[in-house]
Amino acid sequence: MNWKEKLDNFGYVSLTNKDENQLSEILRKLGKVINETDVIANSESKSLVTSDKFLDFHTDNHMAKYVLWYCHKPAIEGGYSMLCDAEEIYKKLSEEEKMQLSKIHVYEHKLFPENRNSNPIVRERDGNRKFYYSFWLAREKYRELPVFKKWRNLIQEANHIKLKLNKTDILIVDNHRIFHGRTEIKGERFLKRYWLTPIS
């Protein structure tokens, strides 16, 4: 099974020891890069993405089908990537709870003209599901709903995938399926993050 098949089957793939030419080829095969970000840990940062603090499970902007991180400098301690498969969590809900969840919207930062003000946690179209989730971007009234509390608890209690990127390692996730987070970072860490959309 090649890396793209693993990504399609499991929703994520981790690749080790890839130089920048190999990175460019992987990006080309995934699609079009719509955003690049230097994710540099900084204890003074007000942005969660570039802080050195624990980052809870979430998805990135829904315009990105894939999120790829390329490690330029690993953390001295911590900085483990945590992954959670939303499909596995979704299976644990009743049909009524699934319907309720589809009506809960979460805010989205308007980085692209196509961005809405918010997206449903789960959207199903033509038999395909897309998940969008960030606890801190959900309205207070939604956080108090029993189905939202159950959803969050299932995410927190799930068997998470936990891995640490070393220099020149790559991690790719299906942003419409896999929730990602990270542990606290100690020391400097520098990842390059790419958001990609498939070329149809």
Side-chain angles (χ1 to χ4, degrees):
M1 190 183 297
N2 63 35
W3 68 265
K4 188 63 169 62
E5 290 171 331
K6 289 180 181 178
L7 177 60
D8 292 338
N9 286 340
F10 304 114
Y12 80 100
V13 67
S14 177
L15 306 171
T16 59
N17 195 26
K18 300 296 181 184
D19 62 32
E20 299 216 14
N21 288 330
Q22 291 170 307
L23 168 64
S24 296
E25 180 63 16
I26 290 167
L27 290 169
R28 186 189 66 78
K29 289 181 177 179
L30 282 173
K32 177 184 177 183
V33 175
I34 59 172
N35 182 270
E36 294 181 31
T37 302
D38 289 341
V39 183
I40 302 173
N42 180 356
S43 60
E44 303 298 320
S45 175
K46 295 181 180 179
S47 168
L48 287 172
V49 175
T50 54
S51 77
D52 58 2
K53 297 176 177 57
F54 165 84
L55 191 56
D56 203 356
F57 288 104
H58 64 284
T59 55
D60 285 357
N61 193 285
H62 92 280
M63 293 298 297
K65 165 65 173 172
Y66 301 113
V67 181
L68 181 150
W69 294 268
Y70 184 72
C71 182
H72 288 275
K73 185 175 184 179
I76 296 171
E77 288 184 46
Y80 284 84
S81 297
M82 303 183 302
L83 308 179
C84 179
D85 190 341
E87 284 288 354
E88 294 302 314
I89 305 299
Y90 192 69
K91 290 176 185 176
K92 298 179 180 180
L93 300 179
S94 68
E95 292 305 312
E96 175 64 24
E97 288 169 332
K98 290 175 181 177
M99 184 188 70
Q100 293 172 359
L101 197 69
S102 70
K103 295 179 180 178
I104 297 177
H105 280 238
V106 178
Y107 286 121
E108 179 166 54
H109 297 301
K110 300 194 80 172
L111 299 178
F112 304 103
E114 300 88 347
N115 285 150
R116 309 174 182 87
N117 289 325
S118 64
N119 291 296
I121 289 179
V122 59
R123 177 189 291 122
E124 190 155 354
R125 187 174 296 167
D126 300 325
N128 296 315
R129 279 185 290 274
K130 292 183 180 181
F131 295 92
Y132 178 78
Y133 173 73
S134 296
F135 174 78
W136 59 86
L137 294 178
R139 291 182 183 179
E140 194 69 39
K141 68 175 184 179
Y142 289 142
R143 295 182 192 177
E144 298 304 314
L145 295 176
V147 68
F148 188 92
K149 289 182 177 180
K150 180 176 180 178
W151 177 249
R152 177 165 170 76
N153 287 338
L154 287 171
I155 292 168
Q156 299 299 322
E157 295 166 2
N159 291 322
H160 306 138
I161 298 148
K162 189 176 178 182
L163 49 88
K164 185 171 183 177
L165 297 179
N166 294 311
K167 188 173 182 179
T168 71
D169 285 353
I170 291 173
L171 174 61
I172 311 168
V173 302
D174 180 341
N175 187 51
H176 295 159
R177 171 180 170 182
I178 301 294
F179 300 154
H180 64 273
R182 65 149 189 267
T183 63
E184 183 181 2
I185 298 168
K186 292 185 179 178
E188 295 180 4
R189 188 188 75 153
F190 172 29
L191 306 181
K192 189 83 171 182
R193 185 189 70 186
Y194 301 86
W195 287 348
L196 297 108
T197 183
I199 298 173
S200 52

